[in-house]
Amino acid sequence: SLQLCIASRYIEGISILAFCLINNKKIRPTILISIYTTVSSLILLSIFHLDIFPVCYIEVSGMTVFKTASEYIIMLILAAGILKLLQIRNKLQPPVWSLLALSFALSILCSLSFTLYTDVYEKAGMVGHILKLFSFYLIYKALVQVNLLNPYQELKRSQNMYRNFLKLLPEAVIVHS
């Protein structure tokens, strides 16, 4: 399970950094889906069939050096994402920028928490998962609620203002001949 966790965290970190690097550039969804499908398939194949993905936990000694080093590498990738996010903040709506920055920071704290525990049942691991949950929630708030839902609410508000404006206009005079 830790191998899947580390693999997913690498995908998350690289995805966050890639989002910041290619912000406002058009990418065909088929290309994106192909990339994620290929990477995910190769990771699953390396873990379950080829058995070449590095071990993350050994029953006798606990977390491996690979697992701990990976958490630090993921923190660096996320920090690079925050730095890039600072560079593109003028291209993002202020609530989106702040929610994403906070999400990335929580994800870094999550990785830090995952480096502190030696057993999968320790409280530091639970804290890391809770931080990850809040991090994903903030990404949801930034990308779904602010970017998708708010524009529709703004459109609805504009429609209501237009309807109210039309109600204020005097009735048209119909001339019968």
Side-chain angles (χ1 to χ4, degrees):
S1 67
L2 285 178
Q3 290 171 311
L4 291 171
C5 183
I6 285 294
S8 71
R9 300 206 13 86
Y10 270 115
I11 290 173
E12 174 198 358
I14 292 168
S15 297
I16 284 171
L17 182 58
F19 164 79
C20 295
L21 291 171
I22 61 174
N23 186 31
N24 290 335
K25 293 181 182 152
K26 300 264 184 196
I27 297 177
R28 292 194 344 232
T30 53
I31 292 174
L32 205 55
I33 290 170
S34 297
I35 291 170
Y36 277 98
T37 300
T38 302
V39 169
S40 298
S41 298
L42 289 173
I43 289 171
L44 292 173
L45 189 64
S46 74
I47 292 173
F48 292 110
H49 292 293
L50 301 176
D51 201 27
I52 58 174
F53 196 92
V55 174
C56 294
Y57 183 79
I58 299 172
E59 220 33 65
V60 179
S61 57
M63 304 301 165
T64 64
V65 173
F66 169 77
K67 194 263 183 205
T68 305
S70 288
E71 293 294 352
Y72 286 113
I73 292 168
I74 292 165
M75 282 188 260
L76 290 173
I77 293 170
L78 291 166
I82 291 175
L83 292 175
K84 187 61 185 170
L85 192 66
L86 283 169
Q87 291 175 350
I88 63 168
R89 69 176 171 230
N90 60 346
K91 295 178 184 177
L92 300 170
Q93 298 175 29
V96 171
W97 179 84
S98 57
L99 288 169
L100 287 178
L102 185 56
S103 170
F104 298 176
L106 286 178
S107 195
I108 289 172
L109 291 175
C110 168
S111 283
L112 184 60
S113 172
F114 288 158
T115 64
L116 298 177
Y117 70 89
T118 55
D119 187 272
V120 291
Y121 299 107
E122 286 184 19
K123 289 183 182 181
M126 184 178 71
V127 168
H129 286 24
I130 291 170
L131 290 170
K132 177 56 46 204
L133 179 69
F134 283 118
S135 173
F136 282 140
Y137 175 72
L138 293 173
I139 289 174
Y140 161 79
K141 290 281 287 179
L143 300 181
V144 175
Q145 191 171 24
V146 174
N147 280 338
L148 295 178
L149 299 179
N150 287 355
Y152 289 112
Q153 291 171 350
E154 184 63 29
L155 178 63
K156 188 169 183 149
R157 190 179 67 77
S158 296
Q159 285 175 332
N160 288 337
M161 286 177 53
Y162 179 72
R163 286 186 184 127
N164 290 338
F165 175 75
L166 289 178
K167 287 179 185 176
L168 295 174
L169 293 177
E171 293 291 323
V173 177
I174 301 175
V175 179
H176 297 283
S177 45

